[in-house]
Amino acid sequence: EEYNLEKHKKINQALLSLIGKAEIILVDSFSHSPTLFSVVDNADETIFITNDDFPSIVKSKEAINKMEDLGMNVIGIILNRKKKDTNKKHIAAILNKPIISEIPYDEKLIQSINTKKPHFLLYPNSSISKAIKELAELINLEASSIKK
């Protein structure tokens, strides 16, 4: 994806329209997307999501460094598709950020992708669904504390 000034302006307008309407905004992007910096440039704080494989961690480290060089505040990491043997302390040390949540890897995720239905609806009691619910509760608590 190339940088697109018009797309950057539209993203900024959309985010600015949320001022006063939302305390927390979730944006899904990949770490080397040029539009990522349009989004996080408008954020007070950013939580970064990365997979636990080495290429993803390297790309995440590069993106986090670039974001911080630009004055952006990355407060933590969500470790996505975490395998049981993953050393999260090692990843936190590489990224120099705390792991605030872990979404485990589950083979059933492929089935939900193939059926084009959200995993948490197909498998509400799976480890992924439980982890996402816990993350949602954490984000909700944070939003509640901001409003006070």
Side-chain angles (χ1 to χ4, degrees), residues 53-119:
D53 60 275
F54 186 72
S56 295
I57 293 166
V58 169
K59 286 281 189 190
S60 296
K61 178 69 174 167
E62 292 170 359
I64 289 167
N65 287 344
K66 185 174 180 180
M67 291 162 66
E68 290 182 333
D69 288 346
L70 295 170
M72 299 170 193
N73 185 18
V74 179
I75 62 170
I77 303 296
I78 296 172
L79 193 53
N80 192 32
R81 296 185 183 178
K82 181 188 175 287
K83 296 176 186 75
K84 290 181 182 179
D85 62 344
T86 298
N87 184 335
K88 74 176 192 174
K89 290 181 181 178
H90 184 66
I91 294 172
I94 291 170
L95 298 177
N96 197 28
K97 298 290 171 200
I99 306 289
I100 61 170
S101 182
E102 301 171 32
I103 309 298
Y105 177 77
D106 186 339
E107 291 287 334
K108 291 180 182 176
L109 184 62
I110 295 166
Q111 294 169 351
S112 60
I113 291 169
N114 288 339
T115 61
K116 298 181 182 177
K117 294 183 179 174
H119 184 84

Side-chain angles (χ1 to χ4, degrees), residues 3-103:
Y3 178 79
N4 178 314
L5 180 61
E6 195 58 39
K7 187 185 285 186
H8 176 84
K9 287 180 183 178
K10 286 181 181 179
I11 291 170
N12 282 343
Q13 288 172 340
L15 292 172
L16 290 171
S17 73
L18 295 173
I19 291 175
K21 298 176 185 171
E23 296 297 331
I24 295 177
I25 302 165
L26 301 175
V27 179
D28 187 6
S29 179
F30 56 97
S31 64
H32 51 282
S33 168
T35 56
L36 172 69
F37 295 97
S38 301
V39 172
V40 296
D41 190 36
N42 289 291
D44 295 326
E45 297 175 329
T46 302
I47 298 172
F48 208 84
I49 301 174
T50 189
N51 291 341
D52 76 349
D53 60 275
F54 186 72
S56 295
I57 293 166
V58 169
K59 286 281 189 190
S60 296
K61 178 69 174 167
E62 292 170 359
I64 289 167
N65 287 344
K66 185 174 180 180
M67 291 162 66
E68 290 182 333
D69 288 346
L70 295 170
M72 299 170 193
N73 185 18
V74 179
I75 62 170
I77 303 296
I78 296 172
L79 193 53
N80 192 32
R81 296 185 183 178
K82 181 188 175 287
K83 296 176 186 75
K84 290 181 182 179
D85 62 344
T86 298
N87 184 335
K88 74 176 192 174
K89 290 181 181 178
H90 184 66
I91 294 172
I94 291 170
L95 298 177
N96 197 28
K97 298 290 171 200
I99 306 289
I100 61 170
S101 182
E102 301 171 32
I103 309 298

